[in-house]
Amino acid sequence: GEDVEQSLFLSVREGDSSVINCTYTDSSSTYLYWYKQEPGAGLQLLTYIFSNMDMKQDQRLTVLLNKKDKHLSLRIADTQTGDSAIYFCAERGNNQGGKLIFGQGTELSVKP
Amino acid sequence: EPEVTQTPSHQVTQMGQEVILRCVPISNHLYFYWYRQILGQKVEFLVSFYNNEISEKSEIFDDQFSVERPDGSNFTLKIRSTKLEDSAMYFCASIQGSGTEAFFGQGTRLTVV
């Protein structure tokens, strides 16, 4: 079945770049998302990418998609302590209204 | 900016009791969802709802669960007889249909004691 995998933890120093990786299995995935979850809070949509794109940049965020390897990454430039959170990768197929399948989340810790 | 709102933010209930979690999706959205997140685990799909009926449900969504859109704005999740293992954060989400963004509410933390 469909599966999305992420590494569980990432620790970086303030000012460095963070790269969070995600792999997925569903070759029909059409939309791929990154959500941010701060402690005790909901899911904030950060960005998303269509499967026919290789890259999307949005301010400090860069999403790279390797569709052949089914690999997605989120790069956060100039990481700040406020970026400390859990980051979830999710994929959705082409059917309208299809469900999102989430990874287990990567906890990003930013040290001053 | 439009948002999905959920109430209550936290609910404590005794095992065996019925609970209703409430959501108000974004007004022009057509697809509605419930997800849950057990503490420290991944976000899991429960059910999707479109055109006043369930369009897909997961194995988790057994006979103890039901969803309803009682009026034009609310979308509810009912758990008939709660179990300890139902303790989780429950998220409501909506999608416009033609749009690609799935918007989530802030969640309801359900604690079953």
Side-chain angles (χ1 to χ4, degrees), chain A residues 3-5 31 33 35 37 40-45 48 50 86 88 92 95-105, chain B residues 31 33 35 37 40-45 48 50 55-56 89 91 95 97-107 109:
Chain A
D3 196 19
V4 178
E5 295 286 336
Y31 308 110
Y33 302 85
Y35 285 87
Q37 185 181 38
L43 297 166
Q44 176 194 352
L45 177 64
Y48 63 93
F50 295 106
I86 298 177
F88 289 94
R92 184 157 77 93
N95 54 321
Q96 265 203 345
K99 64 183 183 284
L100 272 71
I101 304 293
F102 283 84
Q104 60 270 61
Chain B
Y31 295 85
Y33 308 81
Y35 292 79
Q37 184 184 30
Q41 296 186 26
K42 65 165 69 176
V43 178
E44 301 172 290
F45 167 76
S48 58
Y50 170 71
S55 47
E56 186 176 359
M89 183 78 101
F91 291 106
I95 293 177
S98 56
T100 57
E101 294 165 295
F103 291 93
F104 282 77
Q106 290 300 299
R109 180 167 298 285

Side-chain angles (χ1 to χ4, degrees), chain B residues 35-72:
Chain B
Y35 292 79
R36 80 170 184 192
Q37 184 184 30
I38 294 171
L39 188 64
Q41 296 186 26
K42 65 165 69 176
V43 178
E44 301 172 290
F45 167 76
L46 292 179
V47 66
S48 58
F49 192 86
Y50 170 71
N51 201 25
N52 283 321
E53 60 183 24
I54 291 173
S55 47
E56 186 176 359
K57 59 183 181 179
S58 70
E59 292 173 354
I60 304 166
F61 194 87
D62 61 22
D63 293 343
Q64 292 299 311
F65 292 89
S66 62
V67 289
E68 198 176 39
R69 187 154 162 83
D71 52 42

Side-chain angles (χ1 to χ4, degrees), chain A:
Chain A
E2 307 133 328
D3 196 19
V4 178
E5 295 286 336
Q6 298 176 242
S7 52
L8 294 181
F9 300 101
L10 177 65
S11 181
V12 300
R13 291 224 170 266
E14 194 172 20
D16 288 349
S17 291
S18 308
V19 179
I20 302 171
N21 294 300
C22 170
T23 57
Y24 58 98
T25 58
D26 187 2
S27 55
S28 67
S29 295
T30 301
Y31 308 110
L32 295 131
Y33 302 85
W34 285 103
Y35 285 87
K36 177 184 180 183
Q37 185 181 38
E38 297 184 44
L43 297 166
Q44 176 194 352
L45 177 64
L46 287 178
T47 188
Y48 63 93
I49 190 168
F50 295 106
S51 60
N52 63 357
M53 298 168 66
D54 298 324
M55 186 181 91
K56 181 178 180 181
Q57 187 149 5
D58 184 359
Q59 299 181 337
R60 291 192 297 124
L61 305 178
T62 303
V63 178
L64 294 178
L65 174 61
N66 182 328
K67 196 174 178 184
K68 175 175 164 289
D69 293 340
K70 300 191 187 72
H71 182 266
L72 182 74
S73 67
L74 175 69
R75 179 177 180 269
I76 305 172
D78 187 25
T79 315
Q80 303 297 307
T81 54
D83 294 324
S84 293
I86 298 177
Y87 290 80
F88 289 94
C89 166
E91 63 91 10
R92 184 157 77 93
N94 194 29
N95 54 321
Q96 265 203 345
K99 64 183 183 284
L100 272 71
I101 304 293
F102 283 84
Q104 60 270 61
T106 299
E107 183 175 348
L108 174 64
S109 173
V110 182
K111 299 189 185 324

